[in-house]
Amino acid sequence: MKKIINNPENVVNEMLDGIVKAHPEYVKRLEGFNVLVRADKHDKKKVALVSGGGSGHEPSHGGFVGEGMLDAAVAGEVFTSPTPDQVFEAIKAVDNGEGVLLIIKNYTGDVMNFQMAGELAEAEGIKVESVIVNDDVAVENSTWTTGRRGIAGTIFVHKIAGAAAEKGMNLSEVKRIAEKVISNVRSMGMSLTPCTVPAAGKPGFELAEDEMEVGLGIHGEPGTHREKIKPASEIVKDLLDKIFNDIDLKENDEVAVMINGLGGTPLMELYIVNNEVEKLMREKGLMIYRTIVGNYMTSLEMAGFSISVLKLDDELKELLDYKADTPAFKKL
Amino acid sequence: MKKIINNPENVVNEMLDGIVKAHPEYVKRLEGFNVLVRADKHDKKKVALVSGGGSGHEPSHGGFVGEGMLDAAVAGEVFTSPTPDQVFEAIKAVDNGEGVLLIIKNYTGDVMNFQMAGELAEAEGIKVESVIVNDDVAVENSTWTTGRRGIAGTIFVHKIAGAAAEKGMNLSEVKRIAEKVISNVRSMGMSLTPCTVPAAGKPGFELAEDEMEVGLGIHGEPGTHREKIKPASEIVKDLLDKIFNDIDLKENDEVAVMINGLGGTPLMELYIVNNEVEKLMREKGLMIYRTIVGNYMTSLEMAGFSISVLKLDDELKELLDYKADTPAFKKL
Amino acid sequence: MITRDMLLKILHNIAKVIEENRQFLTDLDAAIGDGDHGINMNKGFKAVEEKLNSLKDKDCGTILKTTAMTLISTVGGASGPLYGTAFLKASAVVNGKMELSSQDIIKMFEEAINGVMMRGKAQRGEKTMLDALIPAYEVLKNSIESGKSLKEAFQDAAKAAYEGVEYTKTIKATKGRASYLGDRSIGHQDAGATSSYLMIKTIAETLD
Amino acid sequence: MITRDMLLKILHNIAKVIEENRQFLTDLDAAIGDGDHGINMNKGFKAVEEKLNSLKDKDCGTILKTTAMTLISTVGGASGPLYGTAFLKASAVVNGKMELSSQDIIKMFEEAINGVMMRGKAQRGEKTMLDALIPAYEVLKNSIESGKSLKEAFQDAAKAAYEGVEYTKTIKATKGRASYLGDRSIGHQDAGATSSYLMIKTIAETLD
Ligand SMILES: Nc1ncnc2c1ncn2[C@@H]1O[C@H](COP(=O)(O)OP(=O)(O)O)[C@@H](O)[C@H]1O
Ligand SMILES: Nc1ncnc2c1ncn2[C@@H]1O[C@H](COP(=O)(O)OP(=O)(O)O)[C@@H](O)[C@H]1O
Ligand SMILES: [Mg+2]
Ligand SMILES: [Mg+2]
Ligand SMILES: [Mg+2]
Ligand SMILES: [Mg+2]
């Protein structure tokens, strides 16, 4: 394992301190907890947004704490959902009477831990709602399974629900918006390399020099299948086909696109991917309203990417373009 | 070689198209050239800033084209300085009578190609000045050698000289500011892995599982020496010692810090590094005014980072905080 | 009958066994999950272990409730809330008691399983810890009712749990992270079922 | 004397040799530079090669100037401006000429080297192409002046260039990218010196 760290057992703690030291104008840490909350003074009465999950997905989620996005981010151990007491502290810290929306990615652990926290908060009289992001089309949806995973599409939920809250919408409206984003967004990813959880010390799977893993999540776990590496154009086609199969998009529909790097892929490759994505979108007659390219929901040092497609309407467009000012996402 | 690309010979071209498609509100491509220029309408008469160099350093430099930073970025082949005709086109495209400042990183190729372009532009009556960034303390300075390399400290030059130009300073003033940044910034880097130029197909050097390369540039070339991997705290101490040895910093001096990822290093590790950097800075009595953490001057998929330290005064602080709106760097 | 001291000894031994199997459980999880089950469980039971001393004079309900809350606030992931809920539900059965009768134990086990099913919305046959826990519970109940000693009954239960673990190799996961792999999960044993088996086996071995 | 046709043939053969040595030159550059010298040079001479046909009826000055401008606008890096400047300076010497005398050739070579030194601000002994070019020039001049044929003179020059390349192995780079390696550059031969040697050798082999 080659990593620039000190002690594998202490990476989350040191990272959180490093984030606060880098962005003191944006975030502060709840003392004694792995929770980052907004540091900027604002007296605004607004719905508070809380998200989080395992660490190793940086800048998710601490990087999105700030004006127009999250009010708190809870960090678990690497790839391990945070515990209910941590989430509960975050909820208490950011609620200002307007209620709290939990944005949860659909993993058994995240769902259970966040919901237990929500139960604790409700017991103390805090209004709590939650939404569960499940954008990953690699996993077939079924009422009999855990359902789809939540991956990079979550960033759109943070951005758009965050804008709704900042604009002063109430809890049920913000929840409605978040759910609209969730029902309109689809993602799928692939990787060239595995990644190594520091405490585990070895990669989660192995790939030959000419192989890629397709349809994988963001926790270093294997994907739905393995293939020989192909040119970027063919990889993009495969992923977009899966996405298009799953969401109803007609000619002239407007979409937002995110090309998300998994942590170890250079921007050069993400832009080459974007070039292909745009071509296929154009062929399909879709109108790309906004594109986001970069490392937003990563999987440690994994090389690979995911594509997310969000179908837009006027309401979502306005909220997507609303001002945001966070360490990892800014919209002027 | 594992890369998400189509044809190794065409990566720069496809990437540039991908950048323009991702950020049409910020950049457009000069038709037929590997040059990105500002796409936003602005009638402001201002000094124009042109930078660039080999590709493979993304988001440098195209990602910094926009309000308050660069007016044009010229992209060479991967790790290869662009040719004078390309730079010349960039200069012609962005000059509006107030003159052009070329921001060149100190590599023989970059210096020669940019200066030849400057000569061509001057022959057409365009006012051209240039500054040469040489922030890398790994390389001993000497009048008998090529001198130091320019690495991530260049981003501070883009940001601060860009603000000076945006504020309406004239060419000689903008040049003075850029040179002040250059004389006040020092950087040094290390890496855990090599990187592979697509057209070469194999890594520039090899490192054992327990080795790191120290004092290296941003072109996949080997560094000044090789060591066994150490904890982050010790690596940071070594790099900062070199930097502190080279620049006169007294207690209570204010500095800006950049922890720059080389492309393949997860943000988690960069923040752990930042945690250590802040500790040592504090011990030395330095005041950290701003910190920037992320992948800004990369070396394809190389895992590693560099630290840059910029000594500030009131003028630099004001310009550092001035509004910037580019794809890869935004300051609200 | 299980005395309070025996309960503490069982928890202590479980912590030891989980620590010994940290890498093994992690490797199992890595194959079809995210490779953290052993790490998380070990963190949780180490925290439990640290509290055992302060629980020496407490009743069984308190001991189990403290165990539950400690697991919930340290393990994380899926297994934290699941095992936490299991211990929490079991603790409620024996509130204030200083020792556990065979009937208590059957009831505790039953409640624990119901808690896991409620929290995780899973059934037997979905390749989870339930595939070890449910058969173990059924055999335990049977063996106790047919007059075997508690130790023997837990030995039988451990065998059933082991078979449950083996069974998980043959089926596709439909709950938890391994479900994302679809058919690729077949052939691998479930990490959570394995940790459940290890706990039951440890009870059998600790009892005298 | 070198005719225009011979000049075109030499350029054609240089393009071929550079292509054949693309990987070799790149590997040399990778060891102590950034591993692109062969790639860049090949791109440049491929572009030159594509223009040769259209230059069939042009004078030597035009042919060399076109070569220079093509290299400048396609090679990039350090070697683009350096070789570009070399050919540009050489072309100026023979403006309008349809063939090159021995004296022209000496003068061209001299001007080319001056151009490289001016552009790159380097001297002999800094582990660059100059360590092949300068000794080759000196020997060429000597051999011509002592009455040898042009072919013989270039054969001598190629030998001197080769020795220059060998010499670069023994010294530390103080110019170009390899200078950043300090003492670590010792033991490796310089890529640019090697491409210079290959060009001179190709001239010797092409002449009849
Ligand atoms: N819905 C569920 N019901 C019961 N057990 C489950 C459920 N989901 C997962 N598990 C169990 O949890 C185990 C994984 O635990 P762990 O690795 O600690 O959590 P995570 O999957 O969050 O990383 C699985 O092996 C499985 O036995
Ligand atoms: N200042 C200089 N003067 C003369 N030759 C130089 C100088 N700097 C570099 N070179 C030559 O250029 C070669 C490297 O060329 P190339 O790899 O194409 O460019 P880059 O170093 O920009 O990647 C070196 O091997 C050396 O011979
Ligand atoms: Mg986990
Ligand atoms: Mg180069
Ligand atoms: Mg797991
Ligand atoms: Mg080179």
Side-chain angles (χ1 to χ4, degrees):
Chain A
M1 176 177 63
K2 277 190 140 173
K3 287 188 187 289
I4 306 163
I5 59 173
N6 293 305
N7 177 355
E9 307 289 335
N10 206 24
V11 290
V12 173
N13 185 48
E14 293 179 25
M15 171 188 77
L16 291 173
D17 282 347
I19 294 177
V20 171
K21 289 171 178 178
H23 314 293
E25 63 279 35
Y26 289 101
V27 292
K28 61 185 185 213
R29 186 165 175 179
L30 281 193
E31 184 139 356
F33 292 91
N34 290 347
V35 176
L36 299 179
V37 299
R38 275 176 75 167
D40 59 323
K41 292 266 165 302
H42 70 99
D43 310 321
K44 206 184 273 181
K45 284 257 173 206
K46 67 180 268 299
V47 172
L49 266 58
V50 174
S51 191
S55 292
H57 308 304
E58 292 68 34
S60 291
H61 295 274
F64 302 117
V65 172
E67 185 183 344
M69 292 183 79
L70 302 180
D71 294 274
V74 191
E77 286 305 309
V78 177
F79 296 163
T80 299
S81 151
T83 55
D85 52 321
Q86 302 272 342
V87 181
F88 181 38
E89 284 306 314
I91 294 172
K92 282 190 293 183
V94 300
D95 176 53
N96 55 33
E98 298 298 308
V100 176
L101 181 70
L102 304 179
I103 300 172
I104 310 170
K105 296 191 293 309
N106 191 30
Y107 298 97
T108 310
D110 285 42
V111 172
M112 290 190 298
N113 285 289
F114 274 78
Q115 284 181 345
M116 283 171 89
E119 291 162 18
L120 293 171
E122 281 174 337
E124 294 213 356
I126 301 176
K127 278 186 290 179
V128 179
E129 292 283 355
S130 60
V131 293
I132 297 180
V133 188
N134 60 349
D135 52 322
D136 184 7
V137 298
V139 177
E140 301 303 328
N141 206 351
S142 155
T143 36
W144 299 109
T145 68
T146 307
R148 292 166 158 173
R149 292 177 289 221
I151 55 172
T154 310
I155 311 300
F156 282 123
V157 184
H158 294 346
K159 174 66 193 77
I160 291 174
E166 203 72 53
K167 284 189 73 170
M169 292 187 181
N170 67 24
L171 183 56
S172 69
E173 275 291 280
V174 175
K175 183 179 178 180
R176 176 185 66 76
I177 294 283
E179 284 184 331
K180 193 202 272 188
V181 176
I182 293 170
S183 74
N184 282 14
V185 67
R186 299 291 187 282
S187 305
M188 186 157 162
M190 61 76 68
S191 85
L192 295 180
T193 63
C195 63
T196 300
V197 174
K202 56 186 185 192
F205 55 88
E206 273 171 35
L207 274 175
E209 230 337 271
D210 62 346
E211 284 177 338
M212 61 182 190
E213 190 78 20
V214 182
L216 82 175
I218 50 173
H219 299 87
E221 67 272 54
T224 53
H225 64 285
R226 190 164 287 191
E227 286 182 44
K228 296 281 169 215
I229 291 189
K230 304 177 182 176
S233 59
E234 292 174 34
I235 298 172
V236 167
K237 185 165 180 350
D238 289 351
L239 301 188
L240 274 184
D241 277 351
K242 272 281 232 176
I243 289 174
F244 289 152
N245 263 336
D246 198 87
I247 183 169
D248 187 33
L249 287 170
K250 299 178 306 297
E251 226 182 300
N252 293 322
D253 275 353
E254 288 183 291
V255 295
V257 172
M258 175 180 286
I259 315 299
N260 173 59
L262 295 183
T265 288
L267 259 183
M268 168 179 276
E269 295 176 29
L270 298 183
Y271 281 120
I272 289 173
V273 164
N274 185 52
N275 189 41
E276 299 300 331
V277 168
E278 189 272 351
K279 279 189 218 165
L280 289 179
M281 294 287 209
R282 189 152 29 91
E283 272 173 30
K284 228 184 128 67
L286 296 172
M287 313 296 281
I288 300 178
Y289 179 71
R290 289 281 176 263
T291 302
I292 299 171
V293 177
N295 294 324
Y296 291 100
M297 180 72 78
T298 62
S299 197
L300 292 173
E301 73 279 7
M302 187 175 269
F305 71 98
S306 62
I307 305 174
S308 300
V309 178
L310 170 67
K311 184 173 168 177
L312 295 169
D313 61 16
D314 289 343
E315 184 176 44
L316 295 183
K317 272 160 61 179
E318 190 205 324
L319 294 167
L320 182 59
D321 284 344
Y322 197 80
K323 182 183 172 196
D325 192 12
T326 73
F329 192 93
K330 296 181 174 68
K331 174 84 197 172
L332 277 89
Chain B
M1 177 176 65
K2 278 191 137 173
K3 289 187 187 287
I4 306 161
I5 59 174
N6 293 305
N7 177 355
E9 309 288 335
N10 206 23
V11 289
V12 174
N13 185 47
E14 292 178 26
M15 171 187 77
L16 291 172
D17 283 347
I19 294 177
V20 171
K21 289 170 178 179
H23 314 292
E25 63 280 34
Y26 289 101
V27 292
K28 61 185 186 210
R29 185 166 175 179
L30 282 194
E31 184 139 358
F33 293 91
N34 290 347
V35 176
L36 299 179
V37 297
R38 275 175 74 167
D40 59 323
K41 291 264 166 301
H42 70 100
D43 310 321
K44 205 184 275 184
K45 283 258 172 206
K46 67 179 266 301
V47 173
L49 267 57
V50 174
S51 191
S55 292
H57 307 304
E58 292 67 33
S60 291
H61 294 275
F64 302 116
V65 172
E67 184 183 345
M69 291 184 81
L70 301 179
D71 295 273
V74 192
E77 287 303 310
V78 177
F79 296 162
T80 298
S81 150
T83 56
D85 53 318
Q86 302 271 342
V87 181
F88 181 39
E89 284 306 315
I91 294 172
K92 283 190 292 185
V94 298
D95 176 53
N96 55 32
E98 298 298 310
V100 177
L101 181 71
L102 305 179
I103 299 172
I104 311 171
K105 293 191 294 311
N106 191 31
Y107 298 97
T108 310
D110 286 44
V111 172
M112 291 190 299
N113 284 290
F114 274 77
Q115 285 182 345
M116 284 172 88
E119 292 162 18
L120 294 170
E122 281 174 338
E124 295 214 356
I126 301 178
K127 276 186 290 177
V128 179
E129 292 282 354
S130 61
V131 293
I132 298 180
V133 189
N134 60 349
D135 53 323
D136 184 6
V137 298
V139 177
E140 301 304 327
N141 206 348
S142 154
T143 37
W144 300 109
T145 69
T146 308
R148 291 166 158 170
R149 292 175 289 221
I151 56 174
T154 310
I155 312 301
F156 282 123
V157 183
H158 295 347
K159 173 66 193 74
I160 291 175
E166 203 74 51
K167 283 189 73 172
M169 291 188 184
N170 68 24
L171 183 56
S172 68
E173 276 290 280
V174 174
K175 182 179 178 182
R176 176 184 66 77
I177 295 283
E179 285 185 331
K180 192 202 274 190
V181 176
I182 293 170
S183 73
N184 282 11
V185 68
R186 300 290 185 284
S187 304
M188 186 157 163
M190 62 75 69
S191 85
L192 294 180
T193 64
C195 64
T196 300
V197 174
K202 57 183 180 192
F205 56 89
E206 275 174 31
L207 274 176
E209 232 336 270
D210 61 348
E211 284 178 336
M212 61 182 191
E213 190 78 20
V214 181
L216 82 175
I218 49 173
H219 300 87
E221 68 272 54
T224 52
H225 64 283
R226 191 165 285 192
E227 287 181 46
K228 296 283 168 213
I229 291 188
K230 303 177 184 177
S233 59
E234 293 174 31
I235 298 172
V236 166
K237 183 164 180 351
D238 289 351
L239 301 187
L240 274 184
D241 277 349
K242 273 281 233 177
I243 289 175
F244 289 153
N245 263 335
D246 198 87
I247 183 168
D248 188 34
L249 287 169
K250 298 178 306 299
E251 226 182 299
N252 292 322
D253 275 353
E254 289 184 290
V255 295
V257 172
M258 174 180 282
I259 314 298
N260 173 60
L262 295 182
T265 288
L267 259 185
M268 168 179 278
E269 296 176 28
L270 298 183
Y271 281 121
I272 289 173
V273 164
N274 185 51
N275 190 40
E276 299 298 333
V277 169
E278 190 270 350
K279 278 189 219 168
L280 288 180
M281 294 288 208
R282 189 151 31 90
E283 272 173 29
K284 230 184 125 67
L286 297 172
M287 313 295 283
I288 299 177
Y289 179 73
R290 288 282 176 264
T291 302
I292 299 172
V293 177
N295 294 325
Y296 291 99
M297 179 72 77
T298 62
S299 197
L300 292 172
E301 73 279 8
M302 187 176 270
F305 72 98
S306 62
I307 305 175
S308 301
V309 178
L310 170 66
K311 184 174 167 177
L312 295 169
D313 61 16
D314 288 343
E315 185 176 45
L316 296 183
K317 273 159 62 180
E318 190 204 325
L319 294 167
L320 182 60
D321 283 344
Y322 198 80
K323 182 183 173 195
D325 192 12
T326 72
F329 192 94
K330 295 181 174 69
K331 174 84 198 173
L332 277 88
Chain C
M1 203 199 59
I2 293 183
T3 63
R4 175 187 59 194
D5 287 354
M6 176 55 77
L7 178 62
L8 288 167
K9 197 163 155 197
I10 287 171
L11 289 169
H12 168 77
N13 284 349
I14 287 178
K16 216 171 70 185
V17 167
I18 293 293
E19 183 168 10
E20 285 160 9
N21 287 278
R22 178 180 181 276
Q23 194 59 49
F24 175 55
L25 293 172
T26 298
D27 290 348
L28 290 177
D29 191 33
I32 52 174
D34 60 352
D36 61 1
H37 187 59
I39 299 170
N40 301 346
M41 291 295 286
N42 184 46
K43 209 167 81 178
F45 274 100
K46 244 168 119 168
V48 169
E49 168 74 26
E50 276 162 23
K51 294 203 173 143
L52 290 183
N53 236 330
S54 69
L55 294 172
K56 271 214 211 84
D57 309 317
K58 298 286 180 340
D59 67 291
C60 293
T62 304
I63 292 169
L64 289 167
K65 185 166 179 201
T66 305
T67 300
M69 297 313 292
T70 305
L71 293 177
I72 288 173
S73 66
T74 54
V75 177
S79 44
L82 290 170
Y83 279 123
T85 302
F87 279 92
L88 199 63
K89 295 287 181 184
S91 79
V93 175
V94 293
N95 232 331
K97 293 201 181 169
M98 299 309 276
E99 54 187 38
L100 315 172
S101 70
S102 296
Q103 285 317 306
D104 288 338
I105 291 165
I106 292 172
K107 184 80 186 131
M108 282 163 66
F109 212 142
E110 189 186 323
E111 282 296 300
I113 288 173
N114 285 339
V116 169
M117 292 176 73
M118 176 272 297
R119 185 55 74 193
K121 302 195 177 63
Q123 306 291 325
R124 196 169 166 170
E126 301 206 77
K127 197 172 184 130
T128 70
M129 55 178 71
L130 290 170
D131 293 318
L133 292 173
I134 295 175
Y137 163 71
E138 289 172 357
V139 166
L140 182 84
K141 189 171 178 221
N142 249 323
S143 294
I144 289 175
E145 284 169 358
S146 68
K148 290 197 185 177
S149 77
L150 254 185
K151 186 176 177 84
E152 284 168 329
F154 267 102
Q155 281 167 340
D156 295 346
K159 227 173 284 165
Y162 182 79
E163 279 158 24
V165 170
E166 288 296 308
Y167 168 65
T168 63
K169 289 186 189 168
T170 68
I171 57 174
K172 185 163 104 172
T174 51
K175 282 278 150 41
R177 235 172 251 288
S179 67
Y180 307 132
L181 271 81
D183 286 339
R184 277 175 102 184
S185 69
I186 297 174
H188 298 274
Q189 83 192 58
D190 179 61
T194 308
S195 58
S196 288
Y197 154 68
L198 289 173
M199 289 187 219
I200 294 163
K201 181 168 148 257
T202 304
I203 301 175
E205 285 169 358
T206 308
L207 289 173
D208 40 29
Chain D
M1 203 195 63
I2 293 182
T3 63
R4 180 193 46 203
D5 287 356
M6 177 54 78
L7 179 61
L8 289 166
K9 198 163 154 198
I10 286 171
L11 290 169
H12 169 78
N13 284 349
I14 287 177
K16 217 170 70 185
V17 167
I18 293 292
E19 182 168 12
E20 286 161 8
N21 287 278
R22 178 180 181 276
Q23 194 59 49
F24 176 55
L25 293 172
T26 298
D27 290 348
L28 291 178
D29 191 34
I32 51 174
D34 60 350
D36 61 0
H37 186 60
I39 300 169
N40 300 347
M41 291 294 288
N42 184 46
K43 211 168 79 177
F45 275 99
K46 247 169 118 168
V48 169
E49 168 75 26
E50 276 163 21
K51 295 205 172 142
L52 290 182
N53 236 330
S54 69
L55 294 171
K56 270 216 212 79
D57 310 316
K58 296 289 180 340
D59 66 290
C60 293
T62 304
I63 292 169
L64 289 167
K65 188 169 179 195
T66 306
T67 301
M69 297 312 293
T70 306
L71 293 178
I72 288 173
S73 67
T74 52
V75 177
S79 44
L82 290 170
Y83 280 121
T85 301
F87 278 90
L88 199 63
K89 295 290 180 181
S91 79
V93 174
V94 294
N95 232 332
K97 294 201 180 172
M98 299 309 274
E99 53 188 39
L100 314 173
S101 71
S102 295
Q103 285 317 307
D104 287 338
I105 290 166
I106 291 172
K107 185 82 187 129
M108 284 163 66
F109 212 142
E110 189 186 322
E111 283 295 300
I113 288 174
N114 285 338
V116 170
M117 291 175 72
M118 178 271 299
R119 186 54 74 195
K121 301 195 179 65
Q123 306 292 324
R124 195 168 167 173
E126 303 206 74
K127 197 171 184 135
T128 71
M129 56 178 69
L130 290 171
D131 293 319
L133 292 174
I134 295 176
Y137 162 71
E138 289 172 356
V139 165
L140 182 83
K141 190 173 176 219
N142 248 324
S143 294
I144 290 177
E145 283 169 0
S146 69
K148 290 196 184 177
S149 78
L150 255 185
K151 186 175 178 86
E152 284 168 329
F154 267 102
Q155 280 167 340
D156 296 346
K159 226 172 286 162
Y162 182 79
E163 279 158 24
V165 170
E166 289 296 308
Y167 169 63
T168 62
K169 289 186 191 168
T170 68
I171 57 175
K172 187 162 103 173
T174 51
K175 283 278 150 42
R177 236 173 250 289
S179 67
Y180 306 133
L181 272 80
D183 287 338
R184 277 175 102 184
S185 69
I186 297 174
H188 298 274
Q189 82 192 63
D190 178 61
T194 308
S195 59
S196 288
Y197 155 67
L198 289 172
M199 288 188 218
I200 294 164
K201 183 170 145 248
T202 304
I203 300 175
E205 285 169 356
T206 310
L207 288 174
D208 42 28

